[in-house]
């Protein structure tokens, strides 16, 4: 079982705003990073740290954190945002190990 | 352009061994931590191991997997021994954002499939 918990599936209407969440005790001490994965493709980093976007990631993607919950928000979702989204962070052991959430399948309606 | 190219996957019997390689280009390989992440068929991502100045392993591979790197060849390795059916997955190598292992993976290879079956 994952130490980071994500909703298995979320849907959003085209051009609306959606928040994908990730819960875990380690998020009280460490930032999450977020990855987008489309079928048959490698994951792509979309958000890391407090709220940083790698070059080339649209600014409709943003991140936030509160307590034990990290969130990825897509403001004005596009059809091409339909994908699986994974959070990751340190685990709660303090041994600098890493854990991924179980992933959220985002459907854009 | 950053490129990561994995190789070495294939079909192996339970209890067997494989060594995965990841050839890196387009960046100063020695300056960055590197990581292996796997994905079982139809499942989510699972962190396997990272290397910076130190090495780190998930419990699932501890004692069976060894991560290493050859900075002169710009290559990352994962030696996998005593393989089990549950190790069947696509194995991705990923570049970290910095020199230390911080779980921020900004480039990924396309993956290599490891199938453990008799």
């Amino acid at each position: 079982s994952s130490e980071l918990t994500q909703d298995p599936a979320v849907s959003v209407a085209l051009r609306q705003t959606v928040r994908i969440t990730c819960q875990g005790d380690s998020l009280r001490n460490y930032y999450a990073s977020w990855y987008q994965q489309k079928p048959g493709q490698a994951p792509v980093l979309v958000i890391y740290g407090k709220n940083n976007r790698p070059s080339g990631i649209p600014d409709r993607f943003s991140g936030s954190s509160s307590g034990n919950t990290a969130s990825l928000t897509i403001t004005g979702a596009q059809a091409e945002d339909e994908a699986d989204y994974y959070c990751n962070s340190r685990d709660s052991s303090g041994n600098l190990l890493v854990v991924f959430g179980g992933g959220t399948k985002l459907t854009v309606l | 352009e950053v490129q990561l190219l994995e190789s070495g996957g294939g079909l192996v019997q339970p209890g067997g061994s494989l060594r995965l390689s990841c050839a890196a280009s387009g960046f100063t390989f020695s300056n960055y931590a590197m990581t292996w992440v796997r994905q079982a068929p139809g499942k989510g991502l699972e962190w396997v191991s990272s290397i910076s100045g130190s090495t780190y392993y998930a419990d699932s591979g501890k004692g069976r997997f060894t991560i290493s790197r050859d900075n002169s060849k710009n290559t990352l390795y994962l030696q996998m021994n005593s393989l089990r059916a549950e190790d069947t997955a696509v194995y991705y190598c990923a570049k970290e954002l910095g020199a230390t292992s911080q779980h921020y993976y900004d480039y990924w290879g396309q993956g290599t499939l490891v199938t453990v079956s008799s």
Side-chain angles (χ1 to χ4, degrees), chain A residues 86-105:
Chain A
Y86 295 91
C87 61
N88 87 335
S89 187
R90 296 290 187 200
D91 77 351
S92 53
S93 71
N95 294 326
L96 301 182
L97 306 185
V98 176
V99 62
F100 280 92
T104 297
K105 168 65 178 174

Side-chain angles (χ1 to χ4, degrees), chain B residues 9-38:
Chain B
L11 176 63
V12 61
Q13 292 188 338
S17 298
L18 276 179
R19 188 177 82 156
L20 306 183
S21 300
C22 173
S25 61
F27 64 103
T28 304
F29 180 72
S30 59
N31 287 355
Y32 294 90
M34 298 293 294
T35 285
W36 289 98
V37 174
R38 70 184 182 183

